[in-house]
Amino acid sequence: MPRRRELSLRRQLLMWLLLPQLVLWLAAAFLAYNMALAYTNEVIDRTLAKSSSALARQVKPFGNGFYVDFPSAARDILEQDPDDRVHYMVSSPPEAFLLGEPAMPRPPAGTPAKAGDSFFYNARMKGKEVRVAAQYLMAGTAERPQLMLVQVAKSRALNAELARKILVDMGLPLLGMMLLTSVLVWAGISRGLSPLRSLRRRVEDRSARDLAPIEVDNAPNEVRSLTAAINALLGEVHAQVAQQRRFIADAAHQLRTPLAGLKSQTELVRTELREAQPDLPRVSRQLAQVETSVARSIRLVNQLLALARAEPEAGLSLQPLDFAQLVREVTTEAVPRALTARIDLGLEAEPGSMLVSGHAGLLRELLANLLDNAIQYTPAGGEVTVLLQRRGPGLQLTVRDNGPGIPPAERERVFERFYRGSAEGKGKGCGLGLAIVQEIARRHGSSLQLTDTPGGGLSAVLQLALLPD
């Protein structure tokens, strides 16, 4: 599946504000260049028109010909700049060379050959682009009128250079203004998005258990609307969590008490029957089955409640606690059951306290389930050992037994709820013990690992981070 590109509101705003500005700046530069070129052409055209008129005045009819009154000083002035010299030609009839440079470009085809005002055109002369001003004049006598063409040309390089200078003089201030505007736009967007950043920090800094409404001061209406929507969602989540907590409390009260009472009544009836009729083994076995079912029901209810408390939605807080002391207490509490099952239960823990961040009730439930599973599936005469060791910045808890173990193919599935493996224990479990242990381990930033015990059996390994002393 292709990775979706992350969208940034800041990037989109900058793009939609600065990209049109760049396009407008380029368009303005293009228009400025063309306008400058047009103005320079207009100035050059006027100069060339005056030059062509002045040159035409120097050509005077003389008899059947022309007299050219063109002093060398005037010619030197026209030709003094080799890079921007003025080219000229006088022809009569048109295109019949009289004076100037014969290489002068001819007027465009279709130009009417009649006396009148000057006209202008672009052409190439000696490999260069030139601007030409030309005009037709009537000369000669009334009996023999003649048409004369006067042409004056100048290189267009000066026009382009002047247009570029104008563009630079106009473009650099525009570019500076665009950069300044970009900085102001960026600062404005950053300022406008600051309420969103503040809202994000308020949400990120909260724990999963803090469902109080978010307070945002001096925020725009859009951010206030978003905050109101988030607060409405937090209110719904808070109501759901409160409802779950009430369910757990009600379930604990409504289920534990009747089942415990039923078990007590069953034990009383069984005692009375044994005293009154000691030869009623069948009734005694039935009552024993009832007692076993009730005990399993109580255990199932307790494990379901423990699983509900272990889920993140339960909203339990983690506090510093001495994990080594907790392990000693839970192991001690499991000794009577291990003795009844003829299991050698031992504890090997490094001396001193081991502080972790955790929930005492959940960690107690985790240890109790691990010991219960180990005792339940270890045959009589077996061993169960609890190891508590420091491992670098953390600690490692290992509950090791020499029972039948769990096949590697089933070790992932045993963490599923209500899944019961193929191994047979002394009792009949509910398939929730390891699921509860794994859920509690995840609440504490860890996970349970199942490995083989050397010599046979199963080892459950848990890693926890230590708090600094």
Side-chain angles (χ1 to χ4, degrees):
M1 182 177 179
R3 181 180 178 183
R4 295 183 61 184
R5 185 177 180 181
E6 295 184 359
L7 298 179
S8 169
L9 182 58
R10 181 196 299 273
R11 189 181 299 115
Q12 291 187 59
L13 289 175
L14 287 174
M15 181 183 67
W16 285 109
L17 290 176
L18 297 183
L19 186 60
Q21 180 181 336
L22 177 62
V23 173
L24 291 177
W25 182 84
L26 293 176
F30 176 77
L31 292 176
Y33 179 77
N34 284 276
M35 290 177 63
L37 194 61
Y39 288 141
T40 54
N41 282 338
E42 183 178 351
V43 173
I44 299 277
D45 289 349
R46 289 180 181 179
T47 303
L48 291 176
K50 291 180 180 180
S51 299
S52 64
S53 298
L55 181 60
R57 287 194 298 269
Q58 304 305 318
V59 181
K60 302 178 177 62
F62 182 77
N64 293 331
F66 292 95
Y67 169 71
V68 179
D69 186 11
F70 195 43
S72 59
R75 186 182 300 114
D76 292 340
I77 292 174
L78 291 176
E79 300 176 355
Q80 66 178 350
D81 189 353
D83 296 328
D84 190 30
R85 61 177 298 184
V86 177
H87 308 277
Y88 59 90
M89 188 181 80
V90 179
S91 58
S92 181
E95 303 183 12
F97 174 75
L98 286 180
L99 177 68
E101 298 185 40
M104 180 68 66
R106 301 300 183 254
T111 303
K114 62 179 182 179
D117 296 333
S118 301
F119 60 93
F120 307 90
Y121 60 91
N122 297 322
R124 291 187 64 85
M125 180 177 180
K126 297 180 181 180
K128 297 182 179 180
E129 296 287 338
V130 294
R131 181 73 171 170
V132 183
Q135 60 176 320
Y136 289 100
L137 301 173
M138 292 302 300
T141 62
E143 295 79 11
R144 296 186 62 186
Q146 294 185 13
L147 189 63
M148 181 175 61
L149 175 62
V150 178
Q151 297 170 281
V152 179
K154 195 171 185 181
S155 173
R156 296 181 62 195
L158 179 62
N159 301 34
E161 181 181 357
L162 184 58
R164 284 193 296 270
K165 289 182 178 180
I166 295 175
L167 176 62
V168 170
D169 293 341
M170 294 179 62
L172 288 179
L174 286 176
L175 179 60
M177 292 179 62
M178 187 187 75
L179 294 177
L180 179 60
T181 304
S182 301
V183 173
L184 294 177
V185 167
W186 180 85
I189 291 176
S190 299
R191 176 69 176 175
L193 294 179
S194 59
L196 287 178
R197 291 195 298 270
S198 176
L199 177 61
R200 184 195 66 187
R201 287 193 297 267
R202 288 173 179 266
V203 174
E204 289 178 345
D205 294 341
R206 286 186 167 221
S207 66
R209 298 175 296 277
D210 187 1
L211 300 178
I214 300 174
E215 297 293 338
V216 178
D217 300 328
N218 301 324
N221 292 333
E222 293 79 4
V223 176
R224 289 185 177 276
S225 301
L226 177 60
T227 305
I230 295 176
N231 286 337
L233 179 61
L234 290 176
E236 294 180 4
V237 173
H238 184 271
Q240 292 292 333
V241 171
Q243 182 179 1
Q244 185 185 40
R245 290 176 179 173
R246 287 193 299 269
F247 166 77
I248 294 174
D250 293 342
H253 177 71
Q254 298 294 332
L255 293 176
R256 280 177 173 171
T257 303
L259 290 175
L262 180 59
K263 182 179 180 182
S264 299
Q265 293 296 328
T266 304
E267 291 175 350
L268 290 175
V269 172
R270 185 176 181 183
T271 302
E272 293 176 359
L273 286 176
R274 185 182 300 114
E275 295 176 354
Q277 298 287 343
D279 57 343
L280 297 178
R282 186 175 62 84
V283 177
S284 181
R285 284 195 302 270
Q286 291 176 347
L287 289 175
Q289 291 177 358
V290 172
E291 183 179 349
T292 301
S293 299
V294 172
R296 289 188 59 203
S297 299
I298 294 176
R299 177 170 175 75
L300 175 60
V301 170
N302 289 333
Q303 288 193 321
L304 286 172
L305 294 176
L307 186 61
R309 287 194 300 269
E311 291 178 345
E313 294 80 2
L316 299 176
S317 61
L318 305 182
Q319 302 292 335
L321 58 91
D322 187 355
F323 189 69
Q325 180 63 29
L326 184 65
V327 171
R328 295 187 186 98
E329 292 176 1
V330 177
T331 305
T332 302
E333 293 170 1
V335 169
R337 185 179 176 192
L339 293 176
T340 303
R342 290 184 294 164
I343 301 296
D344 183 9
L345 175 60
L347 171 63
E348 297 179 10
E350 294 184 5
S353 62
M354 299 183 185
L355 293 179
V356 299
S357 177
H359 188 275
L362 294 182
L363 290 177
R364 181 178 292 273
E365 187 71 27
L366 178 147
L367 293 169
N369 275 280
L370 288 179
L371 290 173
D372 181 74
N373 279 354
I375 295 172
Q376 178 176 332
Y377 289 99
T378 301
E383 295 181 356
V384 174
T385 304
V386 179
L387 300 173
L388 185 60
Q389 302 166 303
R390 296 177 184 270
R391 288 288 185 269
L395 60 83
Q396 177 176 297
L397 171 71
T398 305
V399 178
R400 185 171 61 196
D401 63 61
N402 58 356
I406 299 176
E410 295 185 12
R411 289 180 184 172
E412 291 297 326
R413 298 200 61 192
V414 294
F415 295 115
E416 299 176 4
R417 298 181 182 184
F418 302 106
Y419 177 80
R420 298 171 61 191
S422 58
E424 293 293 335
K426 299 180 182 64
K428 295 183 178 180
C430 307
L432 285 174
L434 290 179
I436 294 173
V437 170
Q438 190 69 292
E439 192 65 44
I440 295 175
R442 288 172 181 166
R443 286 295 306 274
H444 291 80
S446 183
S447 62
L448 187 70
Q449 305 294 328
L450 300 180
T451 61
D452 292 325
T453 298
L458 185 70
S459 294
V461 182
L462 178 69
Q463 305 278 349
L464 291 176
L466 280 172
L467 294 177
D469 296 334

